[in-house]
Amino acid sequence: MLLTATDSYALSGAVMAFATRAVLTGSVPPGVHLAAEVLDAEAAAATLRDDPLVGELTVS
């Protein structure tokens, strides 16, 4: 995966917002988890592609 962004701190915030939405909608089970284990990778990639902070997102 290649991801370029204009601001790494803001990008971290965008990922946190995505994770928070997943928790609030019930997509993530209760407890402590690693994001890579419980978040929908395709949905995360689609969300990041649409974010104005992301210059490029390539998954191969």
Side-chain angles (χ1 to χ4, degrees), residues 22-50:
V23 169
L24 293 175
T25 61
S27 300
V28 175
V32 177
H33 308 282
L34 296 174
E37 294 176 353
V38 294
L39 295 177
D40 181 340
E42 289 182 22
T47 298
L48 290 174
R49 273 192 193 97
D50 292 339

Side-chain angles (χ1 to χ4, degrees), residues 3 11 13-19 21-22 39-54 57:
L3 186 142
L11 181 61
V15 173
M16 179 61 76
F18 175 78
R21 281 192 300 272
L39 295 177
D40 181 340
E42 289 182 22
T47 298
L48 290 174
R49 273 192 193 97
D50 292 339
D51 195 299
L53 296 169
V54 176
L57 175 59

